[in-house]
């Protein structure tokens, strides 16, 4: 089955700086890669996703890049704000289900 | 707002008690999932269902059981709760053919 690795597990940045979270996956057949944000006391919420036929996707301060050859994808958050502080999960879609990374706790320091 | 609801949000219960965690969605999604989230954040799939009367065990072995009698309802039951069951339980759903999941807000279970 699919195996998704996520790094780093914790990340602290100063407000206004950029944050980058990286994931690798094992199954070359995976074709969908979403990112979820989980705030304290809530369930994960989809923030951005990318399909395998696209190399990059942006939505305001958030962008995701995908390198299918290397089997890795990354989340980039620019101009970070305190409300970006949360746990972020990457995922890759295998044959039927999503496989999640182990999560990154992002702290934005005001 | 996600139309998937979990109750209760918090539950403290004694060892040996039987409990049922409720999960309902109003989106008509075929697929539903239960995840156990440990304090280290990681999500572990414990059960999933692809439709009515379909249930499968996930990657993480769990003493819980699930049922899917109605499309919108996917309850999780622990017959005899133990302290090792203390965790956050997240329910999610997705539509057949869709790629992403919609998560509920979770139930934080504490067994004392």
């Amino acid at each position: 089955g699919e195996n998704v690795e996520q790094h780093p597990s914790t990340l602290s940045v100063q407000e206004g700086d950029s944050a980058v979270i990286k994931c690798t996956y094992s199954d070359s057949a995976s074709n969908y890669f979403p990112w979820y944000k989980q705030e304290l006391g809530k369930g994960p919420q989809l923030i951005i996703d990318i399909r395998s036929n696209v190399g990059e996707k942006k939505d305001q301060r958030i962008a995701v890049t995908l390198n299918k050859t290397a089997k890795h994808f990354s989340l980039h958050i620019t101009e970070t704000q305190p409300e970006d502080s949360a746990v972020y999960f990457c995922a890759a879609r295998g044959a039927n289900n999503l496989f999640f990374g182990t999560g990154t706790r992002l702290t934005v320091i005001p | 707002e996600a139309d998937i609801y979990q109750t209760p949000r918090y539950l403290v219960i004694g060892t040996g008690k039987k409990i049922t965690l409720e999960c309902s969605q109003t989106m008509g999604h075929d697929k539903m999932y239960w995840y156990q989230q440990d304090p280290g954040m990681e999500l572990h799939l414990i059960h999933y269902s692809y439709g009515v009367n379909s249930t499968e065990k996930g990657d993480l072995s769990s003493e819980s059981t699930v049922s899917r009698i109605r499309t919108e309802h996917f309850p999780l039951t622990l017959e005899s709760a133990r302290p090792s069951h203390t965790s956050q339980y997240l329910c999610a759903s997705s539509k057949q053919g869709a790629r992403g999941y919609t998560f509920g807000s979770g139930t934080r279970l504490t067994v004392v």
Side-chain angles (χ1 to χ4, degrees):
Chain A
E2 176 65 276
N3 181 46
V4 179
E5 296 190 358
Q6 183 172 347
H7 300 281
S9 57
T10 61
L11 178 60
S12 293
V13 299
Q14 293 287 335
E15 182 177 357
D17 287 351
S18 294
V20 180
I21 303 169
K22 299 182 179 182
C23 290
T24 61
Y25 62 99
S26 60
D27 187 352
S28 57
S30 291
N31 57 13
Y32 174 69
F33 307 91
W35 286 87
Y36 288 82
K37 175 183 181 182
Q38 185 177 21
E39 297 177 316
L40 194 63
K42 298 183 179 180
Q45 300 293 313
L46 179 69
I47 56 171
I48 194 167
D49 56 13
I50 191 167
R51 298 172 197 265
S52 59
N53 58 347
V54 176
E56 182 176 0
K57 183 177 179 180
K58 289 185 71 173
D59 183 3
Q60 300 183 334
R61 297 185 296 108
I62 295 174
V64 57
T65 59
L66 170 66
N67 183 326
K68 282 210 71 180
T69 302
K71 289 189 281 189
H72 65 70
F73 56 114
S74 301
L75 178 71
H76 304 253
I77 305 174
T78 59
E79 301 172 24
T80 54
Q81 301 168 4
E83 53 263 39
D84 294 329
S85 294
V87 176
Y88 292 81
F89 292 96
C90 63
R93 185 172 186 89
N96 291 302
N97 295 333
L98 285 180
F99 292 82
F100 288 88
T102 50
T104 297
R105 188 177 301 279
L106 173 64
T107 302
V108 179
I109 304 165
Chain B
E1 288 294 316
D3 295 326
I4 181 165
Y5 307 99
Q6 290 188 242
T7 57
R9 288 295 311 276
Y10 304 93
L11 179 63
V12 180
I13 198 163
T15 298
K17 298 292 186 183
K18 177 180 178 179
I19 57 169
T20 296
L21 308 185
E22 301 289 348
C23 177
S24 295
Q25 50 93 8
T26 59
M27 299 172 284
H29 285 176
D30 303 280
K31 300 182 177 183
M32 297 188 74
Y33 312 84
W34 275 104
Y35 285 86
Q36 185 172 337
Q37 185 171 32
D38 58 28
M41 306 179 298
E42 194 167 351
L43 298 166
H44 300 284
L45 180 66
I46 51 175
H47 297 283
Y48 61 96
S49 167
Y50 287 165
V52 171
N53 295 325
S54 152
T55 61
E56 301 286 346
K57 291 188 180 295
D59 306 318
L60 180 69
S61 175
S62 173
E63 294 165 347
S64 59
T65 59
V66 293
S67 62
R68 190 89 184 275
I69 299 173
R70 303 197 318 265
T71 299
E72 63 271 22
H73 195 213
F74 192 40
L76 181 144
T77 298
L78 278 165
E79 290 292 334
S80 180
R82 294 208 301 268
S84 60
H85 296 139
T86 295
S87 191
Q88 163 105 314
Y89 292 85
L90 288 163
C91 181
S93 70
S94 69
K95 188 170 182 173
Q96 182 68 30
R99 298 172 184 260
Y101 295 176
T102 301
F103 281 88
S105 296
T107 292
R108 182 163 297 280
L109 172 66
T110 302
V111 183
V112 298

